[in-house]
């Protein structure tokens, strides 16, 4: 680092110009150019002096100073090795000088400089008197600056994985900076807090205490005058929030209650003494204060929850305080802060060991149910407009809907503590009270105080999962009430959703089935789209759970199905279809074909009619949605048929196949239609497995022709199901069938390779994903056919060329294929079995030799592609699989792979990595190879590529020799 006034002056003007372009109203190209310049500048060695010049020049714009401080922070964290070690004291002195300059602000710049100094202190291990030097240099008139540095130091040290220190060095430096300095910092903070009344409530003091509480024993803080300062600060408007934060950190530090008994005994009465502040905050309508007080009590409860279970009488007051926080929250903005506490307490007191606590807190949880149900009520608009309850605030409305479901989770907790019957009984009583009070005034157009009826209905819906099928006290009384609820939109919606939630219970109480079915089916005539959607969902669940009770009504249900299906939106059409299909799924075998045909023949006629008029995208989407309805029937109707007997469902699928084939041919350029057709074909195979053999030849022909014509990955997705179900050695599959299936795959693979030869991978991401998922299955189920074949070579080349894509899904598919392929180079196959007697045989020598031949010819390219992707282009989600490929290669051919790694690193852009870094990495790899520890190589490469990626970006001019080769296929 050059001293002030030494050497050539750093070029500040280009940086200021680029910053002005980024913030000014210039065109996109200029902004991109400025961004690129600044990005390169931040990684350059020149940035050290230029940032200093900007910061020390008083005339520099404030935005430039903030950018310079931020850049300097990045340089110290990631690029400190650009400076010789002897220049670090000068850098430290420069930072101390700049901190003195900016001690009075602006705070953003001062904060960044404090981060710089903290990170330098962490890495400059020879600097031993950090706190003393900072304090003496800045002086006693710069307390705000000193406090900010003290706050930041522990935060940066504990995030020390961003630097290059070893674990041992980091641990030693952490001890020097934090543990050894903790007593001194505590004395300093106590001294400052006692210096005046105003300093005791300084927010920065409180923030500093919070930061150091991880290092200073919590008992030392609680038993000092700092506790009074923190609690007194709760009464100051400016320091309230940091004081709450500080108290919450103290609570978290006492979670190990057995180690902190004395501390908790000191804290508990001080916390309980704050309870009057709940009512004060509620009456003052100060939302921030109320949320802060609620958070304080809730955090105390979460920290000491085990003590509440052990000593319920002693800690009951705190539980009551948290209930009070929940109850007084009229705006419903703070109550959610208590939800986790109720869950944690429930977890303990529902254990038999703490049954006494459960008894002690039962009345509190009973009151909590009342509080939650009251909070569930929709607001009453001041304008009186019932159609806009939130007066146009859509964000608030969505927030309230999400909030209701969270309160539903609290009600489930209450069910476990006080029992389902009592909780349901409270909802039932509220419904009865409303019926008694307002029922006579209700009409289909007006329901007085409907919020008081809708909320208990929602609570019943929320608690549905906790109710057993044997419940026989509340539900037999409440269900008959629900099916009489009038037609108000929100109330009818909630009533239908309650019935949908209790369909499993209804399956055990058939006497109430018909009234519910009638109530749900009549809801399809409601004017509200929301109610109709709820009715469709309820119909699906009712038919699915009560299908055996409804199987004799299948013809009547078909009449209903036909009457509503064309009136519904696509999602509801699927719901109703699933319900009908569920009833069909339990039909006797001799009725399967007839009922399948009864329901699906009209659907096929609709498909033909829609196909004849589908010209635009909207109508094509409508056609695709109707194809999905046929698929749902196929997914549900899976009758058991003895082996070697014809399956009646497959018999009907023969009639479906020509219709879908014609649609495919006519809509070969419509991805939604093709995807739905292929989904249907795929489910024919998955549903009927080897029984689908009679349709297999025709289906394979259509899949091959469709893929050749469209290059849509959906056809490969459907092909995958055939490969899986008719694999080598599968039951009821003969050798001629498996041979034909493999030839079918070969045909699809050649079509794909020809397509990739003509189009760059970036234009085929979905097709590449589907193809390599298919190839992965072929590798697993047909290894002896595929791996030694000539086809495996171009497919491996295609995989390596396609790794230039930057989408996670296709990359993951390719990497999985590579890992499975390489695993056949060892004795054990990449398959497992629960039954050891059915475990797959070891890989044959021929298979192992074939994989090794592939690695010998393509191994270096594989290493290049993996390392290049990890350093430049792979999404973060792909790193594990990419390093897994490298691990398998190292295990397979350790010496050769080490050489290929060194060659690849030698091809990196000049100046992006130091020679000594490469030498250090290769020495470590060689040591791991010699010691037979390939997994350590994986971790070394992960650390290296992560570090490289942080410090470098892919050059705009390309990667040169590391660019992926263009795929070429002449087959």
């Amino acid at each position: 680092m050059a001293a002030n006034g030494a050497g050539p002056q750093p070029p500040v003007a280009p940086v200021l110009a680029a910053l002005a372009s980024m913030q000014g109203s210039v065109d996109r190209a200029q902004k991109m150019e400025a961004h690129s310049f600044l990005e390169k500048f931040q990684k350059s060695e020149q940035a050290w002096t230029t940032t200093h010049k900007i910061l020390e020049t008083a005339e520099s714009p404030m935005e430039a100073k903030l950018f310079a401080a931020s850049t300097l922070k990045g340089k110290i964290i990631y690029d400190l090795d650009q400076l010789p070690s002897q220049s670090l004291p000068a850098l430290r002195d420069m930072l101390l000088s700049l901190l003195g300059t900016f001690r009075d602000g602006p705070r953003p710049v001062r904060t960044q400089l404090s981060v710089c100094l903290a990170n330098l202190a962490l890495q400059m291990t020879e600097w031993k008197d950090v706190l003393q030097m900072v304090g003496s240099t800045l002086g006693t008139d710069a307390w705000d600056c000193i406090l900010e540095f003290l706050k930041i130091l522990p935060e940066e040290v504990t995030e020390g994985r961003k630097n290059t220190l070893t674990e041992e060095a980091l641990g030693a430096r952490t001890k020097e900076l934090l543990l050894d300095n903790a007593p001194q910092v505590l004395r300093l903070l106590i001294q400052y807090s006692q210096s005046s009344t105003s300093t005791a409530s300084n927010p920065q003091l409180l923030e500093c205490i919070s930061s150091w509480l991880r290092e200073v024993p919590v008992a030392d803080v609680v038993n000092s005058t700092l506790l009074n300062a923190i609690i007194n600060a709760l009464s100051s408007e400016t320091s309230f929030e940091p004081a709450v934060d500080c108290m919450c950190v103290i609570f978290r530090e006492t979670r190990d209650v057995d180690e902190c008994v004395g501390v908790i005994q000191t804290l508990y009465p001080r916390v309980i003494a704050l309870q009057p502040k709940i009512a004060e905050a509620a009456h003052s309508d100060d939302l921030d204060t109320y949320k802060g007080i609620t958070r304080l009590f809730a955090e105390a409860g979460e920290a000491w929850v085990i003590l509440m279970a052990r000593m319920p009488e002693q800690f009951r007051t705190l539980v009551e305080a948290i209930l009070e926080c929940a109850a007084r929250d009229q705006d419903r903005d703070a109550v959610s802060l208590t939800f986790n506490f109720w869950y944690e307490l429930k977890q303990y007191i529902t254990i038999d060991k703490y049954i006494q606590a459960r008894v002690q807190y039962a009345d509190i949880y009973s009151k909590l149910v009342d509080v939650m149900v009251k909070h569930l009520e929709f607001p009453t608009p001041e304008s009186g407009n019932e159609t806009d309850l939130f007066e146009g605030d859509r964000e608030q409305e969505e927030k309230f809907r999400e909030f209701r479901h969270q309160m539903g989770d609290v009600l489930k907790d209450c069910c476990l503590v006080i029992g389902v019957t009592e909780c349901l009984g409270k909802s039932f009583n509220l419904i009865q009270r409303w019926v008694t009070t307002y029922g006579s005034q209700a009409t289909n157009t007006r329901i007085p105080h409907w919020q008081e009826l809708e909320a208990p209905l929602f609570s019943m819906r929320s608690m549905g999962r906790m109710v057993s099928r044997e419940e026989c006290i509340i539900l037999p009384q409440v269900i008959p009430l629900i099916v009489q609820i009038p037609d108000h939109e929100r109330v009818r919606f909630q009533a239908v959703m309650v019935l949908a939630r209790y369909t499993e219970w209804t399956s055990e109480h058939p006497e109430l089935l018909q009234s519910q079915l009638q109530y749900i089916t009549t809801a399809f005539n409601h004017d509200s789209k929301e109610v109709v959607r709820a009715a469709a969902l309820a119909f699906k669940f009712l038919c699915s759970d009560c299908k055996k009770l409804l199987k004799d009504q299948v013809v009547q249900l078909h009449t209903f199905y036909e009457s509503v299906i064309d009136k519904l939106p696509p999602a509801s059409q699927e719901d109703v279809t699933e319900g009908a299909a569920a009833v069909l799924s339990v039909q006797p075998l001799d009725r399967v074909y007839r009922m399948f045909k009864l329901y699906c023949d009209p659907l096929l006629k609709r498909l033909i009619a829609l196909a004849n008029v589908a010209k635009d995208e909207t109508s094509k989407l409508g056609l695709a949605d109707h194809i999905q309805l046929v698929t749902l029937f196929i997914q549900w109707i899976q009758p058991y048929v003895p082996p070697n007997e014809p399956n009646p469902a497959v018999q009907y699928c023969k009639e479906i196949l020509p219709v879908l084939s014609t649609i495919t041919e006519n809509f070969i350029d419509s991805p939604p239609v093709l995807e739905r057709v292929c989904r249907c074909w795929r489910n024919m195979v998955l549903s009927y497995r080897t029984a689908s053999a009679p349709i297999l030849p025709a289906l394979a022909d259509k899949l091959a022709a469709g893929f050749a014509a469209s290059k849509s990955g959906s056809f490969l997705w459907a092909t995958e199901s055939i490969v899986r179900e008719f694999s080598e050695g599968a039951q009821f599959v003969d050798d001629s069938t498996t041979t034909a299936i493999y030839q079918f795959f070969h045909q699809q693979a050649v079509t794909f390779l020809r397509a990739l030869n003509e189009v760059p991978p970036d234009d085929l991401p979905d097709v590449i994903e589907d193809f390599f998922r298919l190839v992965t299955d072929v590798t697993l189920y047909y290894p002896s056919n595929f791996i030694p074949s000539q086809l495996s070579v171009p497919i491996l080349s295609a995989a390596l060329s396609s790794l230039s894509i930057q989408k996670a899904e296709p990359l993951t598919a390719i990497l999985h294929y590579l890992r499975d392929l390489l695993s056949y180079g060892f004795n054990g196959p990449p398959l497992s079995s629960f039954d050891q007697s059915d475990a797959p045989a070891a890989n044959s020598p021929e298979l192992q030799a074939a994989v090794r031949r592939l690695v010998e010819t393509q191994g270096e390219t594989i290493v290049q592609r993996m390392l290049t992707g990890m350093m430049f282009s792979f999404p973060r989600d792909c790193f594990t699989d990419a390093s897994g490929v490298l691990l398998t290669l190292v295990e397979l051919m350790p010496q050769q792979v080490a050489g290929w790694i060194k060659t690849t690193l030698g091809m990196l852009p000049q100046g992006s990595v130091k020679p000594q870094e490469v030498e250090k990495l290769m020495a470590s790899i060689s040591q791991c190879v010699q010691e037979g520890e390939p997994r350590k190589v994986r971790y070394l490469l992960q650390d290296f590529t992560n570090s490289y990626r942080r410090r470098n970006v892919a050059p705009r001019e390309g990667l040169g020799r590391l660019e992926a080769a263009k795929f070429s296929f002449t087959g």
Side-chain angles (χ1 to χ4, degrees), residues 25-42:
S25 55
V26 299
D27 60 43
R28 180 177 175 81
Q30 285 180 280
K31 283 186 180 293
M32 291 294 291
E33 184 180 354
H35 180 271
S36 176
F37 170 80
L38 292 174
E39 196 174 54
K40 290 180 179 178
F41 163 75
Q42 287 182 312

Side-chain angles (χ1 to χ4, degrees), residues 420-421 424 467-478 502 505 509:
V420 169
T421 300
L424 280 180
V467 181
S468 73
R469 298 185 183 191
E470 289 74 35
E471 205 285 325
C472 58
I473 299 174
I474 303 298
L475 289 180
Q477 299 180 69
V478 77
Y502 288 91
W505 180 88
H509 299 78

Side-chain angles (χ1 to χ4, degrees), residues 663-927:
I663 290 174
T664 302
E665 292 166 4
N666 293 332
F667 293 89
I668 201 69
D669 59 345
S670 175
V673 173
L674 296 182
E675 191 273 334
R676 291 302 175 88
V677 170
C678 290
R679 182 188 295 271
C680 188
W681 286 343
R682 173 183 169 86
N683 277 282
M684 287 181 185
V685 178
L686 295 179
S687 292
Y688 309 120
R689 310 194 70 176
T690 53
S692 63
I695 63 172
L696 207 54
L699 184 56
D701 287 343
K702 296 304 177 183
L703 290 173
F707 182 53
S710 69
K711 305 300 184 294
S712 169
S714 299
F715 293 95
L716 299 176
W717 182 50
T719 301
E720 181 188 355
S721 65
I722 297 176
V723 168
R724 285 191 174 198
E725 296 300 334
F726 293 86
S727 60
E728 282 183 319
Q731 195 175 19
F732 310 121
V733 179
D734 55 40
D735 291 343
S736 61
T737 301
T738 56
T739 301
I741 297 299
Y742 181 75
Q743 290 303 318
F744 170 46
F745 159 72
H746 189 283
Q747 183 180 359
Q748 298 287 65
V750 169
T751 303
F752 168 79
L753 294 172
R754 287 172 179 166
L756 190 61
N757 189 54
E758 298 169 0
V759 181
D762 287 335
D763 294 345
L764 296 172
D766 295 335
V767 182
I768 288 171
E769 178 187 355
D770 289 321
F771 178 72
F772 282 102
R773 294 198 186 283
L774 170 62
V775 174
T776 298
D777 280 345
V778 172
T779 305
L780 294 175
Y781 297 119
Y782 291 83
S784 57
N785 294 79
F786 171 60
I787 295 175
S789 71
Q790 294 182 347
L791 192 63
S792 64
V793 177
I795 287 179
L796 179 56
S797 297
L800 297 177
S801 295
S802 301
L803 287 170
S804 58
I805 298 175
Q806 296 187 23
K807 286 185 65 176
E809 293 80 7
L811 285 174
T812 299
I814 295 170
L815 294 170
H816 285 178
Y817 152 67
L818 291 174
R819 295 188 73 172
D820 286 343
L821 174 68
L822 294 173
S823 63
Y824 278 96
F826 303 95
N827 187 52
L831 296 170
S832 59
S833 173
F834 289 111
D835 185 359
Q836 291 300 317
S837 63
D838 192 37
N843 295 328
S844 66
E846 292 78 15
L847 272 181
Q848 297 181 46
V851 171
R852 289 178 177 273
R853 284 195 299 272
L854 287 172
V855 173
E856 287 169 357
T857 57
Q858 300 265 38
E860 184 170 2
T861 306
I862 296 174
V863 170
Q864 286 182 10
R865 299 271 50 83
M866 293 304 111
L867 290 176
T868 302
M870 291 171 71
M871 287 188 285
F872 293 107
S873 61
F874 284 173
R876 186 66 57 182
D877 291 345
C878 296
F879 274 42
T880 300
D881 284 317
S883 64
V885 172
L886 291 171
L887 169 63
T888 309
L889 279 173
V890 172
E891 291 174 334
L892 196 62
M893 295 182 172
Q895 298 294 341
Q896 295 93 321
V897 172
W900 295 333
I901 292 171
K902 185 174 183 179
T903 302
T904 301
L905 297 180
M907 300 165 74
L908 289 170
Q910 188 174 5
S912 63
V913 62
K914 292 185 177 181
Q916 52 267 37
E917 285 185 72
V918 176
E919 292 172 7
K920 180 181 177 182
L921 173 65
M922 293 312 304
S924 300
I925 290 175
S926 297
Q927 182 179 351

Side-chain angles (χ1 to χ4, degrees), residues 223-288:
N223 294 325
S224 72
T225 56
L226 290 177
L227 180 61
N228 285 333
I230 297 167
I231 291 178
N232 292 337
L234 290 168
S235 301
S236 167
E237 185 176 344
T238 57
S239 59
F240 176 77
E241 281 297 328
V244 170
D245 290 338
C246 195
M247 288 295 291
C248 291
V249 175
I250 290 175
F251 296 149
R252 290 184 209 122
E253 291 299 315
T254 62
R255 279 181 179 269
D256 189 348
V257 295
D258 293 321
E259 295 291 327
C260 301
V261 172
V263 175
I264 296 171
Q265 288 174 341
T266 302
L267 284 172
Y268 185 73
R270 305 296 299 271
V271 172
I272 296 303
L274 297 172
Q275 189 171 357
K277 288 185 175 290
I278 302 173
E280 291 174 16
H283 293 146
S284 69
D285 291 329
D286 186 342
L287 177 59
D288 290 335

Side-chain angles (χ1 to χ4, degrees), residues 466-506:
M466 312 307 295
V467 181
S468 73
R469 298 185 183 191
E470 289 74 35
E471 205 285 325
C472 58
I473 299 174
I474 303 298
L475 289 180
Q477 299 180 69
V478 77
I479 294 294
L481 267 181
I482 289 176
V483 297
Q484 299 176 44
I485 284 177
D487 258 357
H488 183 280
E489 177 186 354
R490 292 186 187 274
V491 176
R492 184 67 183 265
F493 170 83
Q494 212 54 255
V496 171
M497 292 300 288
V498 170
L499 298 183
R501 193 66 189 81
Y502 288 91
T503 52
E504 290 184 359
W505 180 88
T506 302

Side-chain angles (χ1 to χ4, degrees), residues 128-335:
K128 302 300 182 182
D129 56 341
V130 175
L131 297 189
Q132 295 89 331
M133 180 176 289
V134 171
S136 61
T137 304
L138 296 177
T140 55
D141 56 345
W143 268 109
D144 281 353
C145 190
I146 294 173
L147 287 173
E148 183 164 38
F149 172 76
L150 286 176
K151 169 186 173 290
I152 287 170
L153 182 62
E155 297 170 355
E156 292 302 310
V157 170
T158 52
E159 291 294 322
R161 278 297 76 207
K162 292 183 290 187
N163 57 61
T164 57
L165 290 177
T166 64
E167 291 289 347
E168 294 78 10
L170 180 62
R173 192 57 175 162
T174 300
K175 179 179 181 298
E176 289 178 357
L177 291 176
L178 302 183
L179 297 181
D180 295 349
N181 283 320
Q184 179 186 348
V185 170
L186 180 62
R187 288 193 299 272
L188 190 66
L189 296 179
I190 293 172
Q191 175 189 343
Y192 175 77
S193 69
Q194 294 174 335
S195 59
S196 71
T197 306
S198 60
T199 57
S201 60
N202 184 347
Q204 286 193 283
L205 168 67
L206 300 166
E207 291 171 358
C208 192
I209 296 170
S210 297
S211 184
W212 276 87
L213 268 166
R214 301 182 188 92
E215 319 304 332
V216 176
V218 67
D220 292 351
V221 174
V222 170
N223 294 325
S224 72
T225 56
L226 290 177
L227 180 61
N228 285 333
I230 297 167
I231 291 178
N232 292 337
L234 290 168
S235 301
S236 167
E237 185 176 344
T238 57
S239 59
F240 176 77
E241 281 297 328
V244 170
D245 290 338
C246 195
M247 288 295 291
C248 291
V249 175
I250 290 175
F251 296 149
R252 290 184 209 122
E253 291 299 315
T254 62
R255 279 181 179 269
D256 189 348
V257 295
D258 293 321
E259 295 291 327
C260 301
V261 172
V263 175
I264 296 171
Q265 288 174 341
T266 302
L267 284 172
Y268 185 73
R270 305 296 299 271
V271 172
I272 296 303
L274 297 172
Q275 189 171 357
K277 288 185 175 290
I278 302 173
E280 291 174 16
H283 293 146
S284 69
D285 291 329
D286 186 342
L287 177 59
D288 290 335
T289 300
Y290 194 84
K291 288 177 71 173
I293 288 295
T294 301
R295 183 160 71 93
L296 186 148
F297 280 100
E299 290 263 9
E302 289 179 37
W304 303 335
V305 65
I306 183 62
L307 293 178
M308 295 174 177
R310 291 178 185 171
M311 298 180 285
E313 293 182 1
Q314 293 90 325
F315 281 86
R316 180 182 171 90
T317 307
L318 180 55
V319 182
E320 290 174 335
I322 298 171
L323 178 66
E324 183 183 353
C325 290
R328 290 184 178 275
D329 184 18
Q330 298 301 315
D331 294 323
R332 294 176 285 211
D333 281 316
V335 63

